[in-house]
């Protein structure tokens, strides 16, 4: 069902939400970061080394990509001993991303 024009205009005035969405799409627009998100759609939690093997890029490149994904709140991390595990953060963007990728 289509929104009425007044509701649509109100939503489009929410600059902060629109800017956050634009940042998220921009970051996920990178092929390596998209591959990481795709991998995390299938495996709920992985270490940097596991992601590196799955995606086929170096652990340092994965770490760099994960830092950007973490900064815009697309992934979360959990540390166990010396290993950091990453997973997709549950929000509207990642839920829609899962639907688009999978």
């Amino acid at each position: 069902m289509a929104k009425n024009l007044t509701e649509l205009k109100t939503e489009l005035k929410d600059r902060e939400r629109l800017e956050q969405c634009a940042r998220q799409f921009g970051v996920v627009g990178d092929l390596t970061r998209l591959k990481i998100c795709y991998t995390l759609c299938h495996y709920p939690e992985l270490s940097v080394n596991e992601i590196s093997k799955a995606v086929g890029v170096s652990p340092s490149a994965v770490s760099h990509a994960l830092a950007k994904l973490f900064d815009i709140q697309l992934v979360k991390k959990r540390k166990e001993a010396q290993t950091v595990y990453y997973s997709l953060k549950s929000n509207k963007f990642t839920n829609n991303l899962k639907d688009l990728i999978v």
Side-chain angles (χ1 to χ4, degrees), residues 45 47 77-86:
E45 187 177 72
S47 69
K77 56 187 173 180
R78 175 184 69 83
K79 189 170 184 176
E80 187 176 297
Q82 299 298 319
T83 305
V84 179
Y85 293 93
Y86 289 87

Side-chain angles (χ1 to χ4, degrees), residues 26-80:
V27 168
V28 176
D30 172 79
L31 185 57
T32 298
R33 292 187 292 259
L34 184 60
K35 286 180 179 180
I36 290 169
C37 289
Y38 182 78
T39 301
L40 291 174
C41 284
H42 292 282
Y43 296 91
E45 187 177 72
L46 293 171
S47 69
V48 170
N49 286 332
E50 292 168 327
I51 295 169
S52 173
K53 288 176 187 173
V55 174
V57 298
S58 71
S60 63
V62 168
S63 291
H64 183 73
L66 285 166
K68 289 190 176 203
L69 292 169
F70 182 80
D71 286 345
I72 60 164
Q73 302 173 9
L74 289 183
V75 297
K76 58 186 176 179
K77 56 187 173 180
R78 175 184 69 83
K79 189 170 184 176
E80 187 176 297

